């Protein structure tokens, strides 16, 4: 995983992008300067797929779906779709959600055997009276919509699980190198926003565990009048603060996306379940954890912040793509 990312240091970035936003070298990001795509982690291929839709004048909704499908199909991305690391029972269970500029949304949780969970979430949004469908029902629905049933456990993810099984020691610790859940936000040529979030969740989670990624308001939130936000990292912490909804609400109150993301992380780290920057789990264990939040407002300003160093995100506009390192609450 780590070799899929281009880690840029803050110092190398600071000269180029003084406030983690385009400044003098580039026009300010706004819908007037063209469509925009941002996504969690190092996702240039996903952004390229989304940008291709936007550059044809397509909808942000189509763009984020196209973008999210890229890591879902990538067997080397062990946090999303095909090749995602399984739960402790060896089952690959997917969580995903999608939201458009009108506040329409769809979600699937605990979906097995279907590679493109994001497209199933979109089908829930567009073809059912519901927002969220889970487990067997989600699989049944997907099959009824013509999605193909397949084995999502690759040889290497199975081998990794078997290796883990030798000790089967689960710490709800999120090793930041094991992340690649994609949260993607896009603004199209009309200035409309949509967002998508898709993941296989935490590796070796308990069977049945669902994280923040498919929860509208936690892993993703879009309000076309304000902007959009998404989150990655330990879902248990994101859900407690409704992280993405909170970021959008803070922007509504006048905070910049950067200030909003920082406030969300500050709330998490100041919460009762965090001590000295570590997560105190239900068994009283202290765990190193990571949460990253990414937000964009209608002016096209971008914010990103995380608990630990190492959270990066990918920004694409006008055919230019950059991977940027987020600022973080803890520094090494
Ligand atoms: C989860 N938020 O299931 C997801 C995990 C994640 O990169 O973001 N991984 O809790």
């Amino acid at each position: 995983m780590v070799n899929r990312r281009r880690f840029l240091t803050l110092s190398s970035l600071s000269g180029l992008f003084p406030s983690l936003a385009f400044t003098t070298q580039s026009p300010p990001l706004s819908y007037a300067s063209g469509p925009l795509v941002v996504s969690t982690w190092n996702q240039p291929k996903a952004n390229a797929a989304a940008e291709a839709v936007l550059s044809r004048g397509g909808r942000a909704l189509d763009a984020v779906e196209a973008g999210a499908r890229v890591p879902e199909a990538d067997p080397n991305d062990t946090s999303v779709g095909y090749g995602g690391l399984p739960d402790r029972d060896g089952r690959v269970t997917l969580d995903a959600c999608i939201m458009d500029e009108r506040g329409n949304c769809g979600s699937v949780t605990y979906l097995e055997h279907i590679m493109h969970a994001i497209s199933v979430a979109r089908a829930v949004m567009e073809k059912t009276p519901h927002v969220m469908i889970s487990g067997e029902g989600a699989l049944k629905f997907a099959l009824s919509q013509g999605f193909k049933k397949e084995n999502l456990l690759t040889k290497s993810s199975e081998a990794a699980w078997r290796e883990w099984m030798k000790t089967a020691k689960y710490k709800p610790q999120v090793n930041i190198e094991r992340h690649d859940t994609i949260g993607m936000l896009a603004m199209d040529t009309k200035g409309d926003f949509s967002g998508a979030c898709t993941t296989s969740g935490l590796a070796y989670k308990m069977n049945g565990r669902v994280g923040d990624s498919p929860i509208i308001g936690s892993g993703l939130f879009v309000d076309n009048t304000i902007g959009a936000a998404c989150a990655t990292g330990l879902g248990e912490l994101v859900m407690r603060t409704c992280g993405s909804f909170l970021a959008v609400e803070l922007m509504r109150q006048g905070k910049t996306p950067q200030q909003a993301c920082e406030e969300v992380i500050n709330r998490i780290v100041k919460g009762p379940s965090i001590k000295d920057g570590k997560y105190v789990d239900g068994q009283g264990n202290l765990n190193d954890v990571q949460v990253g939040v990414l937000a964009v407002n209608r002016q096209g300003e971008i914010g990103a912040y995380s608990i630990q160093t190492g959270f990066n995100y990918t920004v694409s506009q006008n055919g230019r793509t950059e991977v940027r390192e987020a600022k973080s609450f803890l520094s090494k």
Side-chain angles (χ1 to χ4, degrees):
M1 297 303 300
V2 69
N3 60 359
R4 295 186 61 238
R5 300 203 187 112
R6 187 160 49 103
F7 282 91
L8 300 181
T9 62
L10 267 178
S11 54
S12 70
L13 278 171
S14 57
L16 287 170
F17 311 112
S19 60
L20 285 181
F22 292 89
T23 53
T24 46
Q25 294 99 333
S26 323
L29 291 172
S30 68
Y31 84 88
S33 11
L36 165 70
V37 183
V38 296
S39 53
T40 55
W41 306 110
N42 186 346
Q43 301 282 3
K45 286 187 192 150
N47 277 28
E51 262 210 312
V53 174
L54 296 178
S55 63
R56 296 194 296 266
R59 261 181 97 186
L61 181 69
D62 294 324
V64 294
E65 182 189 6
R69 287 172 63 96
V70 172
E72 282 182 338
D74 180 352
N76 297 316
D77 189 322
T78 56
S79 304
V80 182
Y82 179 55
L85 287 167
D87 68 14
R88 61 186 62 178
D89 294 357
R91 300 168 87 139
V92 181
T93 70
L94 307 181
D95 294 339
C97 73
I98 195 160
M99 190 164 189
D100 77 5
E101 75 282 3
R102 291 190 285 264
N104 297 313
C105 45
S107 157
V108 285
T109 72
Y110 196 89
L111 174 66
E112 292 183 273
H113 309 304
I114 305 289
M115 185 183 291
H116 293 298
I118 199 66
S119 298
V120 184
R122 181 169 178 175
V124 171
M125 172 174 101
E126 292 178 337
K127 297 185 177 157
T128 79
H130 306 303
V131 166
M132 181 180 282
I133 302 190
S134 186
E136 235 179 88
L139 175 58
K140 236 194 280 176
F141 169 69
L143 296 175
S144 78
Q145 296 298 308
F147 288 88
K148 197 169 105 209
K149 187 169 181 177
E150 45 201 329
N151 177 20
L152 302 182
L153 194 65
T154 58
K155 274 198 182 125
S156 81
S157 56
E158 183 174 355
W161 168 64
R162 290 199 184 284
E163 189 57 34
W164 178 81
M165 286 286 283
K166 288 183 185 161
T167 53
K169 273 205 189 108
Y170 182 76
K171 287 180 100 186
Q173 163 183 327
V174 178
N175 177 342
I176 56 172
E177 311 310 348
R178 211 187 262 159
H179 281 257
D180 254 356
T181 290
I182 187 166
M184 177 178 274
L185 312 172
M187 181 167 57
D188 61 28
T189 47
K190 286 185 175 165
D192 284 335
F193 280 98
S194 286
C197 189
T198 183
T199 188
S200 52
L202 300 182
Y204 320 128
K205 60 194 174 185
M206 285 177 68
N207 180 246
R209 180 265 187 191
V210 170
D212 60 316
S213 305
I215 313 283
I216 296 295
S218 286
L220 173 72
F221 196 70
V222 176
D223 180 328
N224 214 40
T225 65
I226 305 296
C230 57
T232 179
L234 188 72
E236 280 72 5
L237 291 176
V238 179
M239 285 190 274
R240 278 167 220 222
T241 49
C242 301
S244 296
F245 178 73
L246 179 58
V248 171
E249 289 310 300
L250 289 164
M251 293 194 287
R252 191 192 308 280
Q253 290 164 22
K255 293 208 186 301
T256 64
Q258 185 60 35
Q259 290 167 337
C261 292
E262 291 185 13
E263 175 65 20
V264 172
I265 294 296
N266 286 342
R267 293 233 192 144
I268 290 173
V269 295
K270 287 185 184 141
S273 52
I274 295 281
K275 199 169 170 250
D276 302 329
K278 291 183 189 269
Y279 171 51
V280 188
D281 65 26
Q283 295 158 315
N285 302 313
L286 284 179
N287 303 280
D288 286 319
V289 284
Q290 176 68 308
V291 171
V293 184
L294 178 63
V296 191
N297 67 10
R298 284 209 64 78
Q299 289 68 49
E301 295 171 315
I302 302 166
Y305 200 62
S306 55
I307 298 179
Q308 310 205 28
T309 56
F311 172 48
N312 54 11
Y313 59 102
T314 309
V315 179
S316 301
Q317 190 174 41
N318 296 325
R320 204 179 69 212
T321 291
E322 294 152 358
V323 180
R324 301 181 187 174
E325 187 83 4
K327 289 181 181 168
S328 56
F329 178 81
L330 297 172
S331 49
K332 275 195 179 136

